[in-house]
Amino acid sequence: MSPQILHKLTDHVGSMNAGIFDSTGEYIITGGQDKTIRLRNAQSGRLVQEYEGHGWAVQDLAVSSDSARLASCGGDRSVFLWDIETAQVCRKFTQHQQRVDCVAIGGGSSASSVVVSGSFDKTVMVWDARSSQRTPMQTLRESRDGVSSVCLVDGNKIVAGSIDGSVRTYDIRAGKLLTDDLGCSVVSVRYLSSGVRESKDPMPCLLIGCMDGSIQLLEQHTGASLGVFTGHKCTEYRIRCDANTESIVSGSEDHYVYLWDISTNINGTTGGSFSSRLSGHGGIVNTAVFHPHASTNESKRNSILSTAADGSGSYGSMCHSAYWKSKLDNKYMVEVTMTTSLSHHHLVYETALPKPYRIVHMDEDGDDAEDPDDLVWINRGHEEKAKRKNRLKITVDDQNQVQEVTCG
């Protein structure tokens, strides 16, 4: 049976950085470079609600188990907690020193009492959503590089993936830390509480996406490898993956959505190559997730939401997006070298900047503000600023395509 696209969602401007289902699977929530978050009906694709408040691109989303609260984070170094129905901000957390790349929500008997955020500043912060306190309950500083992915398990365990190549599981109640060293940068972590169907002894698992182009499946308690899945491309960008009890899905830098049958490479069997590759996107596919009832509802088993750098996402067995970018007139050439903990690029942009100008190598975290010719890193893949008399602002998308240049 060929893939069927149920809905094409093309109303975000710029990259769509995050896409999730609510806990019922009846709604789709997306966030992107245009600073907005949108809630849609999954069956009709109709826009139900829009959430505005972030000052920079939205990087990640998480929804409570009762679908009453939504957590979001972004390049403005902030974490927002929203009332989904009213689109009002319940809480705003602002203690991170760099962009916030990942967020999770949960909390024991309460579906939204705890919010966890991970940042490029190398910290994981734990927030009490019921308190009026402005500082986090706890700050976890073990990561040696940016935190790319977080999961909150049963309200008392936090799983955090880092660009330093480690996945750390914190048992907050017991005060214990378990570290799995993957040997390559981690960009995606999923906690699979029911394990996988083909496992000889199903136990909770970790699904880990790495920047060496592999997805690793680990038994959570022992760290034992259950399988390695390859075929997609993940070498420069944060590509997120997901799994149900039978299959794994992931985005890819080559614009495809990849699917693997878990049974092809688990408990020592051979395989690991993908079973399906879905086309349709026009840009880097940064997120792919299964319907929340894919493991229990046969009709939803192959339902996937994916988002991409070409500006939008869709719901169906695959997704498609329309690419958006601005055009520039009176072009000059500006050479920019960008280095982050995730990637290194030497780029040549066509810009409308009048000469003379000079763009120089920028440091990783943008802290060299004393150098007037140095670039300040504001939001990876989105915006750079040159601090000099003629103030240059270059806005690019996740494919490093220029969208806007202003000077003044």
Side-chain angles (χ1 to χ4, degrees), residues 78-106:
S78 300
V79 179
F80 285 69
L81 182 64
W82 307 83
D83 182 293
I84 288 184
E85 183 176 359
T86 65
Q88 296 299 307
V89 178
C90 303
R91 295 291 308 278
K92 182 179 179 181
F93 308 109
T94 59
Q95 295 296 306
H96 281 293
Q97 300 303 304
Q98 296 289 336
R99 69 173 187 270
V100 187
D101 283 329
C102 49
V103 67
I105 185 172

Tab-separated table of all heavy atoms in Angstrom, residues 78-106:
chain	number	residue	atom	x	y	z
A	78	SER	N	13.715	30.897	26.923
A	78	SER	CA	12.551	30.802	27.797
A	78	SER	C	11.821	29.484	27.617
A	78	SER	O	11.869	28.858	26.557
A	78	SER	CB	11.576	31.954	27.519
A	78	SER	OG	12.190	33.200	27.746
A	79	VAL	N	11.119	29.093	28.676
A	79	VAL	CA	10.206	27.954	28.665
A	79	VAL	C	8.825	28.485	29.037
A	79	VAL	O	8.668	29.160	30.055
A	79	VAL	CB	10.641	26.865	29.669
A	79	VAL	CG1	9.656	25.700	29.654
A	79	VAL	CG2	12.054	26.380	29.358
A	80	PHE	N	7.823	28.178	28.214
A	80	PHE	CA	6.458	28.620	28.461
A	80	PHE	C	5.596	27.416	28.842
A	80	PHE	O	5.736	26.330	28.259
A	80	PHE	CB	5.855	29.266	27.213
A	80	PHE	CG	6.345	30.652	26.913
A	80	PHE	CD1	7.651	30.877	26.488
A	80	PHE	CD2	5.499	31.745	27.031
A	80	PHE	CE1	8.107	32.147	26.199
A	80	PHE	CE2	5.937	33.030	26.738
A	80	PHE	CZ	7.242	33.235	26.328
A	81	LEU	N	4.683	27.625	29.786
A	81	LEU	CA	3.656	26.644	30.103
A	81	LEU	C	2.318	27.275	29.758
A	81	LEU	O	1.952	28.313	30.305
A	81	LEU	CB	3.713	26.248	31.580
A	81	LEU	CG	2.717	25.177	32.022
A	81	LEU	CD1	2.988	23.849	31.312
A	81	LEU	CD2	2.758	24.985	33.536
A	82	TRP	N	1.588	26.635	28.829
A	82	TRP	CA	0.351	27.195	28.285
A	82	TRP	C	-0.860	26.403	28.766
A	82	TRP	O	-0.785	25.186	28.939
A	82	TRP	CB	0.354	27.143	26.768
A	82	TRP	CG	1.527	27.751	26.073
A	82	TRP	CD1	2.750	27.176	25.844
A	82	TRP	CD2	1.592	29.055	25.486
A	82	TRP	NE1	3.565	28.037	25.152
A	82	TRP	CE2	2.889	29.199	24.911
A	82	TRP	CE3	0.683	30.105	25.376
A	82	TRP	CZ2	3.288	30.352	24.242
A	82	TRP	CZ3	1.090	31.259	24.697
A	82	TRP	CH2	2.374	31.377	24.156
A	83	ASP	N	-1.992	27.115	28.898
A	83	ASP	CA	-3.282	26.462	28.984
A	83	ASP	C	-3.724	26.197	27.545
A	83	ASP	O	-3.913	27.130	26.771
A	83	ASP	CB	-4.301	27.357	29.698
A	83	ASP	CG	-5.654	26.689	29.863
A	83	ASP	OD1	-6.320	26.466	28.833
A	83	ASP	OD2	-6.053	26.412	30.988
A	84	ILE	N	-3.840	24.928	27.186
A	84	ILE	CA	-4.106	24.591	25.780
A	84	ILE	C	-5.441	25.159	25.300
A	84	ILE	O	-5.544	25.684	24.186
A	84	ILE	CB	-4.070	23.064	25.573
A	84	ILE	CG1	-2.625	22.574	25.679
A	84	ILE	CG2	-4.670	22.664	24.229
A	84	ILE	CD1	-2.437	21.107	25.391
A	85	GLU	N	-6.451	25.093	26.129
A	85	GLU	CA	-7.779	25.528	25.691
A	85	GLU	C	-7.861	27.031	25.486
A	85	GLU	O	-8.421	27.504	24.499
A	85	GLU	CB	-8.833	25.078	26.704
A	85	GLU	CG	-10.247	25.424	26.285
A	85	GLU	CD	-11.289	24.891	27.256
A	85	GLU	OE1	-10.897	24.231	28.242
A	85	GLU	OE2	-12.490	25.139	27.032
A	86	THR	N	-7.299	27.806	26.420
A	86	THR	CA	-7.437	29.266	26.354
A	86	THR	C	-6.275	29.955	25.645
A	86	THR	O	-6.357	31.146	25.341
A	86	THR	CB	-7.555	29.845	27.763
A	86	THR	OG1	-6.318	29.622	28.467
A	86	THR	CG2	-8.705	29.206	28.515
A	87	ALA	N	-5.174	29.238	25.417
A	87	ALA	CA	-3.952	29.791	24.809
A	87	ALA	C	-3.309	30.857	25.688
A	87	ALA	O	-2.542	31.694	25.204
A	87	ALA	CB	-4.234	30.356	23.414
A	88	GLN	N	-3.595	30.818	26.981
A	88	GLN	CA	-2.992	31.757	27.919
A	88	GLN	C	-1.737	31.141	28.543
A	88	GLN	O	-1.665	29.932	28.756
A	88	GLN	CB	-3.983	32.116	29.023
A	88	GLN	CG	-5.212	32.844	28.521
A	88	GLN	CD	-4.880	34.162	27.845
A	88	GLN	OE1	-4.201	35.001	28.426
A	88	GLN	NE2	-5.346	34.336	26.613
A	89	VAL	N	-0.751	31.998	28.835
A	89	VAL	CA	0.483	31.548	29.475
A	89	VAL	C	0.246	31.377	30.968
A	89	VAL	O	-0.134	32.329	31.661
A	89	VAL	CB	1.633	32.547	29.227
A	89	VAL	CG1	2.892	32.092	29.952
A	89	VAL	CG2	1.904	32.694	27.738
A	90	CYS	N	0.461	30.160	31.455
A	90	CYS	CA	0.306	29.889	32.889
A	90	CYS	C	1.576	30.249	33.656
A	90	CYS	O	1.516	30.803	34.753
A	90	CYS	CB	-0.020	28.420	33.114
A	90	CYS	SG	-1.482	27.822	32.257
A	91	ARG	N	2.732	29.879	33.095
A	91	ARG	CA	4.015	30.169	33.705
A	91	ARG	C	5.045	30.444	32.610
A	91	ARG	O	4.928	29.957	31.489
A	91	ARG	CB	4.508	28.982	34.556
A	91	ARG	CG	3.663	28.665	35.763
A	91	ARG	CD	3.768	29.754	36.831
A	91	ARG	NE	5.137	30.065	37.175
A	91	ARG	CZ	5.886	29.382	38.031
A	91	ARG	NH1	5.385	28.296	38.624
A	91	ARG	NH2	7.114	29.742	38.309
A	92	LYS	N	6.064	31.194	32.974
A	92	LYS	CA	7.188	31.439	32.078
A	92	LYS	C	8.471	31.302	32.887
A	92	LYS	O	8.633	31.950	33.927
A	92	LYS	CB	7.098	32.828	31.446
A	92	LYS	CG	8.221	33.127	30.455
A	92	LYS	CD	8.044	34.521	29.847
A	92	LYS	CE	9.179	34.838	28.876
A	92	LYS	NZ	9.036	36.198	28.292
A	93	PHE	N	9.383	30.453	32.419
A	93	PHE	CA	10.629	30.169	33.128
A	93	PHE	C	11.789	30.722	32.308
A	93	PHE	O	11.917	30.419	31.117
A	93	PHE	CB	10.790	28.670	33.338
A	93	PHE	CG	9.591	28.019	33.986
A	93	PHE	CD1	8.762	27.189	33.246
A	93	PHE	CD2	9.295	28.254	35.310
A	93	PHE	CE1	7.666	26.580	33.837
A	93	PHE	CE2	8.188	27.645	35.912
A	93	PHE	CZ	7.375	26.820	35.170
A	94	THR	N	12.670	31.512	32.953
A	94	THR	CA	13.651	32.283	32.189
A	94	THR	C	15.064	32.249	32.761
A	94	THR	O	15.813	33.215	32.618
A	94	THR	CB	13.193	33.752	32.090
A	94	THR	OG1	13.047	34.286	33.416
A	94	THR	CG2	11.882	33.884	31.344
A	95	GLN	N	15.470	31.162	33.372
A	95	GLN	CA	16.789	31.126	34.005
A	95	GLN	C	17.909	30.587	33.112
A	95	GLN	O	19.083	30.696	33.468
A	95	GLN	CB	16.714	30.289	35.288
A	95	GLN	CG	15.831	30.895	36.370
A	95	GLN	CD	16.365	32.218	36.863
A	95	GLN	OE1	17.513	32.326	37.279
A	95	GLN	NE2	15.526	33.245	36.807
A	96	HIS	N	17.586	29.996	31.973
A	96	HIS	CA	18.630	29.485	31.082
A	96	HIS	C	19.434	30.636	30.479
A	96	HIS	O	18.905	31.727	30.239
A	96	HIS	CB	18.031	28.636	29.971
A	96	HIS	CG	17.678	27.247	30.403
A	96	HIS	ND1	18.632	26.318	30.755
A	96	HIS	CD2	16.470	26.629	30.533
A	96	HIS	CE1	18.034	25.186	31.079
A	96	HIS	NE2	16.726	25.344	30.968
A	97	GLN	N	20.720	30.381	30.211
A	97	GLN	CA	21.619	31.405	29.688
A	97	GLN	C	21.815	31.328	28.172
A	97	GLN	O	22.413	32.213	27.581
A	97	GLN	CB	22.989	31.290	30.375
A	97	GLN	CG	22.932	31.460	31.876
A	97	GLN	CD	22.307	32.794	32.281
A	97	GLN	OE1	22.771	33.852	31.855
A	97	GLN	NE2	21.241	32.739	33.083
A	98	GLN	N	21.350	30.266	27.562
A	98	GLN	CA	21.411	30.110	26.115
A	98	GLN	C	20.064	29.582	25.633
A	98	GLN	O	19.143	29.381	26.434
A	98	GLN	CB	22.551	29.157	25.711
A	98	GLN	CG	23.952	29.649	26.060
A	98	GLN	CD	24.391	30.822	25.206
A	98	GLN	OE1	23.894	31.009	24.097
A	98	GLN	NE2	25.325	31.618	25.708
A	99	ARG	N	19.947	29.359	24.338
A	99	ARG	CA	18.676	28.888	23.794
A	99	ARG	C	18.287	27.570	24.479
A	99	ARG	O	19.136	26.770	24.869
A	99	ARG	CB	18.757	28.683	22.281
A	99	ARG	CG	19.628	27.522	21.868
A	99	ARG	CD	19.526	27.255	20.363
A	99	ARG	NE	20.248	26.041	20.048
A	99	ARG	CZ	21.526	25.975	19.715
A	99	ARG	NH1	22.229	27.089	19.649
A	99	ARG	NH2	22.102	24.824	19.450
A	100	VAL	N	16.995	27.342	24.600
A	100	VAL	CA	16.478	26.119	25.204
A	100	VAL	C	16.019	25.207	24.077
A	100	VAL	O	15.137	25.559	23.297
A	100	VAL	CB	15.316	26.420	26.170
A	100	VAL	CG1	14.914	25.155	26.914
A	100	VAL	CG2	15.709	27.516	27.159
A	101	ASP	N	16.625	24.023	23.983
A	101	ASP	CA	16.407	23.147	22.837
A	101	ASP	C	15.399	22.037	23.072
A	101	ASP	O	14.918	21.433	22.117
A	101	ASP	CB	17.740	22.510	22.411
A	101	ASP	CG	18.616	23.480	21.641
A	101	ASP	OD1	18.060	24.352	20.958
A	101	ASP	OD2	19.860	23.357	21.721
A	102	CYS	N	15.072	21.724	24.335
A	102	CYS	CA	14.191	20.589	24.585
A	102	CYS	C	13.413	20.797	25.871
A	102	CYS	O	13.863	21.483	26.789
A	102	CYS	CB	14.979	19.280	24.630
A	102	CYS	SG	16.448	19.321	25.682
A	103	VAL	N	12.237	20.172	25.931
A	103	VAL	CA	11.362	20.347	27.087
A	103	VAL	C	10.520	19.088	27.266
A	103	VAL	O	10.230	18.364	26.303
A	103	VAL	CB	10.457	21.593	26.895
A	103	VAL	CG1	9.458	21.382	25.764
A	103	VAL	CG2	9.751	21.970	28.177
A	104	ALA	N	10.149	18.803	28.517
A	104	ALA	CA	9.269	17.690	28.855
A	104	ALA	C	8.353	18.141	29.986
A	104	ALA	O	8.654	19.087	30.719
A	104	ALA	CB	10.080	16.467	29.273
A	105	ILE	N	7.221	17.447	30.116
A	105	ILE	CA	6.236	17.820	31.137
A	105	ILE	C	5.623	16.560	31.728
A	105	ILE	O	5.444	15.560	31.037
A	105	ILE	CB	5.144	18.744	30.530
A	105	ILE	CG1	4.188	19.246	31.606
A	105	ILE	CG2	4.398	18.043	29.410
A	105	ILE	CD1	3.218	20.307	31.108
A	106	GLY	N	5.315	16.598	33.028
A	106	GLY	CA	4.712	15.445	33.704
A	106	GLY	C	4.644	15.707	35.184
A	106	GLY	O	4.520	16.855	35.618
